[in-house]
Amino acid sequence: MRLVSFLTALDRWLLAAIVLLGILGLLNLAALPGPALFLKQSIFIAAGFILFAGFALFDYRILRSTPLVGMAVWGSGVGLLALVALIGEAVRGAQNWIYLGPISIGPIEIVKLGSLLMLAHYFAREHRGLVFPGRVALSALAVIVPITFAFLQPDLGAVALLAMLWFGSVLILRIPLRTVVAIVLLVIFAATFAWGTLLHDYQRARVLAFLHPQDDPLGAAYQSRQAIVAVGAGGLTGRGIFAEDLISRLSFLPESSTDFAFSAIVERTGFFGALLMLSAFAVILWRIGRVAIRATNNFSCAYAIGLLVLLASEISLHVGMNLGMIPVSGLPLPFVSYGGSHLLTTFAALGILESIRLHQPGFVRSDRDASAEL
């Protein structure tokens, strides 16, 4: 009976959106040659739901009262990032993964979860002191350290995500205007410095290809142009899930299962498929925002805001990259792109959010009343 009660209390809107996105991702993999990726992703999704349920059952108040847990997660992720620099395998110019036989580990995913927890603890504890620029700047240490390692790999997508996680959280938490202006000026200075000294040649080439795609259509701009062509080819209703002459199926669109999953799915399902996918993401962000608004303590609110910013950033960067609106940086689309590390970490982060929801007085009861009215 307790299991039934727990399952019926889970956020059905959130779960339905996740299931829909998972199905779209699996259909994209099923249309590719060979069943290996489809089978692996199916296992990852099943494991992800188990992880989600486990974290939802876990009392988040233990995390709230024990900052060392978040520090341990963050520290282990940063430690693995450092290990990547020593034994990581370079793929397409970036050294992002640790390979242990058939298992590959993306340390940046652990860092993102750890940073979420650390920032939530810091903002909850220092919420009255955030009027002082120094206190706000101190919180940036949670992302500056992993950002430094991500630059060294180099992984520009991870750098952008961690920066947006911190900056977006700071903005939503209503930091004074003078502090925001100081942060913006600092970001401009850091970006200028990074362009001249830290970015690798291929990263600068991607940015220049984004600004002037006509200069190198078959080189740095190739991926972006093919992604745009695939989206346009989808039309209103798509060209079919298993069509043989798809741009993504014929390998004209590189990384159609990961970095360009959005373009691949839109080519197959068209505008209506894109609308369905983005609607599912909107539901997930709505449910996260709802927890943030109704949170009864600072930690819960800060964690939900951070998760909202993180997922919104991942979605917007991936879609923007696929539509040629931003430079190519190699970011997965939550629940849709192939990959275990990112998928399992996202399930874990949402499981903690669900634990917050289940342990808020009256939260589940009000959701049931709303469902009854529908």
Side-chain angles (χ1 to χ4, degrees), residues 23-373:
I23 290 173
L24 287 173
L26 288 175
L27 286 175
N28 184 41
L29 296 177
L32 297 177
L37 295 184
F38 176 84
L39 294 175
K40 287 182 180 179
Q41 189 73 350
S42 299
I43 294 172
F44 289 147
I45 290 175
F49 276 112
I50 294 173
L51 198 62
F52 174 88
F55 274 100
L57 275 171
F58 179 77
D59 192 341
Y60 86 97
R61 287 171 291 192
I62 298 175
L63 288 176
R64 190 183 75 184
S65 60
T66 315
L68 287 176
V69 175
M71 293 178 65
V73 175
W74 181 86
S76 62
V78 171
L80 288 173
L81 276 179
L83 191 61
V84 164
L86 297 175
I87 65 171
E89 183 176 328
V91 178
R92 293 184 299 277
Q95 197 165 318
N96 304 339
W97 300 89
I98 296 175
Y99 290 90
L100 302 173
I103 301 174
S104 58
I105 302 173
I108 198 65
E109 302 301 334
I110 302 173
V111 169
K112 287 191 294 187
L113 182 58
S115 298
L116 268 176
L117 293 170
M118 283 190 65
L119 289 174
H121 277 294
Y122 184 84
F123 289 141
R125 187 180 69 249
E126 300 288 345
H127 66 282
R128 295 184 184 276
L130 294 180
V131 295
F132 304 108
R135 299 283 182 88
V136 178
L138 189 61
S139 68
L141 288 176
V143 297
I144 287 177
V145 175
I147 278 177
T148 303
F149 282 109
F151 255 125
L152 296 175
Q153 292 180 359
D155 186 353
L156 199 58
V159 170
L161 270 183
L162 290 171
M164 292 174 73
L165 165 62
W166 178 77
F167 187 62
S169 299
V170 165
L171 288 181
I172 295 177
L173 288 169
R174 300 178 182 178
I175 305 301
L177 181 61
R178 67 179 184 276
T179 303
V180 173
V181 171
I183 292 171
V184 171
L185 293 176
L186 182 62
V187 169
I188 293 174
F189 171 78
T192 304
F193 176 76
W195 177 265
T197 61
L198 297 177
L199 291 186
H200 290 239
D201 290 340
Y202 82 92
Q203 291 173 324
R204 282 193 286 267
R206 284 180 175 180
V207 176
L208 293 175
F210 164 71
L211 296 174
H212 307 287
Q214 70 281 357
D215 293 345
D216 192 11
L218 298 179
Y222 178 78
Q223 291 177 312
S224 181
R225 291 174 68 90
Q226 290 300 111
I228 296 171
V229 170
V231 170
L236 277 178
T237 58
R239 303 178 63 195
I241 299 292
F242 299 101
E244 294 293 332
D245 60 342
L246 294 172
I247 294 173
S248 53
R249 186 176 178 86
L250 296 175
S251 300
F252 290 113
L253 178 62
E255 311 300 333
S256 61
S257 62
T258 53
D259 299 348
F260 293 97
F262 179 82
S263 293
I265 291 175
V266 173
E267 184 187 14
R268 290 180 166 91
T269 62
F271 170 79
F272 294 118
L275 185 61
L276 184 65
M277 189 168 16
L278 294 177
S279 297
F281 282 125
V283 169
I284 291 175
L285 297 179
W286 163 50
R287 302 309 287 180
I288 298 173
R290 196 164 180 268
V291 173
I293 291 171
R294 302 184 61 184
T296 57
N297 58 78
N298 291 328
F299 173 82
S300 300
C301 179
Y303 178 84
I305 286 174
L307 183 56
L308 177 67
V309 170
L310 182 62
L311 287 185
S313 299
E314 288 182 341
I315 296 163
S316 58
L317 288 175
H318 180 98
V319 174
M321 181 180 72
N322 279 240
L323 296 179
M325 300 171 65
I326 60 174
V328 175
S329 55
L331 288 170
L333 189 61
F335 302 111
V336 176
S337 292
Y338 170 78
S341 297
H342 180 263
L343 183 68
L344 295 177
T345 305
T346 306
F347 267 114
L350 285 171
I352 294 172
L353 180 90
E354 186 67 7
S355 176
I356 291 173
R357 174 182 167 273
L358 293 175
H359 290 89
Q360 298 283 356
F363 209 130
V364 177
R365 190 185 314 115
S366 64
D367 278 354
R368 285 174 175 169
D369 293 342
S371 298
E373 290 177 3

